[in-house]
Amino acid sequence: MSVKLLVLGLMMERDRHPYDIRQTIKARNWHVTFNVRDGSLYYAVDQLCQEGSIEAVEIVQAPGQNRPDKTIYRITDKGRETLVKMLNKQLGETAFPQHPVLSALPFIRNSDHTEALRCLETQLEACKERISMMEAVQQLKAGTLPRGSVHLLRGILKLSLAEKEWLEEVIAEAKNGRLFEPKPPSPDS
Amino acid sequence: MSVKLLVLGLMMERDRHPYDIRQTIKARNWHVTFNVRDGSLYYAVDQLCQEGSIEAVEIVQAPGQNRPDKTIYRITDKGRETLVKMLNKQLGETAFPQHPVLSALPFIRNSDHTEALRCLETQLEACKERISMMEAVQQLKAGTLPRGSVHLLRGILKLSLAEKEWLEEVIAEAKNGRLFEPKPPSPDS
DNA sequence: ATTTTCAACCTCAAATTTGAGTAAACAGTT
DNA sequence: AACTGTTTACTCAAATTTGAGGTTGAAAAT
């Protein structure tokens, strides 16, 4: 969710420019949890700057002279406060995460069944890939990472494993068609 | 995610007015998966109406005469097409769901540790409640629900159980302080 | 009999995200 | 030497969500 939290958190490690943040996310395989578009990133940086949570420190002239120069930002004292507040806020949100398949399921009988099955199988594929990726990363880096990041990996892994089992059940019922049956007798669904 | 999908899906069952949708969500305990504010709901209905996916059928005069009258909508043929498209789109999204704790974890060492621990415990509480609620609902209604809805419940349950175990591990490390330790030796985290 | 609360309804500005661009430099290919 | 693709770096309108508010009438509490 909060892109601002991400920005401030990364700025705690060192001064950065927006694009650096983008790269760091990739480098750490954080795109799984932090699904941020460029737009939101630059927007968040702008906001943080306006509210005084970060400040521009340096403008680096890029190699070619017509290229836009990157502005490097630093977190301020106010920013450190903001960070603590946002952490509290976010840790306090008890909303269940939104899963696309989960929220599509109650309506799935209105779908094109063949197509839906194909989608579910793609989901399972993606899920399995995520699992092996997380296992690999854990092997490689677990020793060197701060505990928070380790638990991030373990969390993704654990949730993905549960997701996998569940998807397999759903797919089984999609295959035998039961998933798409109109209804048992019932009054309210 | 897609509020529009929700609206169309519910309109497939019968004609409805926006507030009816709101109530149905509550009645079915769907607020867990569909976390919709009033604003988005009315906005989505408006959009769907403008694009011709639903149409107003009837305007019911509410009891007192100064109260706003509710407009009842019906799904159109175009709406049914839209629904199928949105289902496909949504089922095709393989993004990992956003969990507030998950994305706060890598930065948690910058938090107020006592407060953070308290938050984590609240999370665990909420998670447990969700689990017992889902178990109860399953007991009561599993027989009468369409399969899609059953799998929705089972999914929430399965994911929440995994979440619970994971949270317990995290809390254990928050208690002994290891979670907040600055870092093991490493270069990149 | 009057105040308080609650459920039914809805609105709207401001914040944020999405999606689709732009443009320059470099690396590799034909 | 001209093409194609990729990385760096950013922009912007349009779509959507958020958060907070507003009105009426009926029911409950004082």
Side-chain angles (χ1 to χ4, degrees):
Chain A
M1 275 257 101
S2 185
V3 184
K4 286 187 184 181
L5 175 60
L6 172 66
V7 172
L8 287 178
L10 286 173
M11 294 268 182
M12 280 299 282
E13 300 176 6
R14 58 169 145 100
D15 301 350
R16 295 172 184 275
H17 53 98
Y19 194 75
D20 177 18
I21 295 177
R22 205 170 161 344
Q23 286 174 112
T24 306
I25 293 171
K26 281 217 157 174
R28 300 189 186 172
N29 297 107
W30 280 4
H31 49 280
V32 176
T33 14
F34 300 97
N35 194 12
V36 191
R37 321 248 150 284
D38 281 0
S40 327
L41 180 55
Y42 285 92
Y43 175 76
V45 168
D46 252 39
Q47 285 317 98
L48 288 170
C49 199
Q50 277 182 47
E51 76 185 45
S53 289
I54 61 179
E55 59 193 6
V57 201
E58 196 187 352
I59 296 178
V60 177
Q61 174 78 31
Q65 60 274 70
N66 269 2
R67 308 189 43 183
D69 306 324
K70 27 186 181 179
T71 308
I72 298 181
Y73 296 89
R74 163 185 6 248
I75 191 168
T76 63
D77 285 343
K78 186 174 174 203
R80 273 176 275 270
E81 279 172 43
T82 313
L83 174 55
V84 174
K85 270 184 219 147
M86 300 190 86
L87 273 168
N88 273 328
K89 199 186 162 211
Q90 178 140 343
L91 288 170
E93 274 170 29
T94 58
F96 186 75
Q98 307 281 103
H99 190 298
V101 176
L102 222 35
S103 33
L105 263 183
F107 310 118
I108 203 166
R109 49 195 168 137
N110 302 300
S111 72
D112 169 344
H113 303 183
T114 332
E115 183 59 16
L117 177 56
R118 192 157 350 119
C119 287
L120 288 173
E121 274 161 348
T122 310
Q123 288 279 345
L124 183 57
E125 261 326 292
C127 184
K128 283 181 182 169
E129 259 181 60
R130 192 163 54 236
I131 290 172
S132 41
M133 168 168 248
M134 288 303 126
E135 276 166 350
V137 177
Q138 245 191 116
Q139 288 288 314
L140 277 179
K141 303 212 212 159
T144 71
L145 295 176
R147 291 311 287 177
S149 300
V150 173
H151 283 292
L152 172 62
L153 294 177
R154 287 160 69 56
I156 296 174
L157 193 53
K158 203 141 203 174
L159 291 177
S160 298
L161 285 167
E163 190 193 344
K164 177 175 161 257
E165 287 179 30
W166 169 70
L167 276 174
E168 280 165 349
E169 288 173 24
V170 175
I171 288 175
E173 285 213 6
K175 278 189 180 153
N176 69 28
R178 204 169 160 217
L179 183 63
F180 305 114
E181 269 166 24
K183 254 193 184 192
S186 107
D188 197 26
S189 39
Chain B
M1 276 256 100
S2 185
V3 183
K4 287 188 181 178
L5 174 60
L6 172 66
V7 171
L8 288 177
L10 285 174
M11 294 268 182
M12 281 299 282
E13 300 176 5
R14 59 171 145 99
D15 299 350
R16 296 174 186 272
H17 52 100
Y19 194 74
D20 177 17
I21 294 176
R22 207 171 160 339
Q23 285 173 110
T24 306
I25 293 171
K26 280 218 157 176
R28 299 187 186 174
N29 297 107
W30 280 4
H31 49 279
V32 176
T33 12
F34 300 96
N35 195 12
V36 190
R37 325 245 149 284
D38 281 1
S40 328
L41 180 54
Y42 286 93
Y43 175 77
V45 168
D46 253 38
Q47 286 315 100
L48 288 170
C49 199
Q50 278 182 46
E51 75 184 47
S53 290
I54 61 178
E55 61 195 3
V57 200
E58 195 186 353
I59 295 179
V60 178
Q61 175 78 28
Q65 60 274 72
N66 269 1
R67 307 190 40 182
D69 306 323
K70 29 187 181 180
T71 308
I72 298 179
Y73 296 89
R74 162 182 11 246
I75 191 169
T76 63
D77 285 343
K78 182 170 177 208
R80 273 176 275 271
E81 278 173 42
T82 313
L83 175 55
V84 173
K85 268 184 222 151
M86 299 189 86
L87 273 168
N88 273 329
K89 199 186 162 209
Q90 177 138 344
L91 288 171
E93 273 169 30
T94 57
F96 186 75
Q98 307 280 104
H99 189 298
V101 177
L102 223 34
S103 31
L105 264 183
F107 309 117
I108 204 166
R109 49 193 169 140
N110 302 301
S111 72
D112 169 345
H113 302 183
T114 332
E115 184 59 18
L117 176 57
R118 194 160 345 120
C119 286
L120 288 172
E121 273 161 347
T122 310
Q123 289 279 346
L124 182 57
E125 263 325 294
C127 184
K128 283 181 182 168
E129 261 181 58
R130 190 162 57 236
I131 289 172
S132 42
M133 167 168 248
M134 288 304 125
E135 277 166 348
V137 176
Q138 245 191 116
Q139 287 288 314
L140 278 178
K141 303 212 209 158
T144 70
L145 295 177
R147 291 310 288 176
S149 300
V150 173
H151 283 293
L152 172 61
L153 294 178
R154 288 160 67 56
I156 296 174
L157 193 52
K158 203 140 202 173
L159 291 177
S160 298
L161 286 168
E163 189 193 345
K164 177 173 161 260
E165 286 180 32
W166 169 70
L167 276 175
E168 280 165 349
E169 288 173 22
V170 176
I171 288 175
E173 286 213 6
K175 279 189 179 153
N176 68 28
R178 204 170 161 216
L179 183 62
F180 306 114
E181 268 166 25
K183 254 193 181 188
S186 103
D188 197 25
S189 37

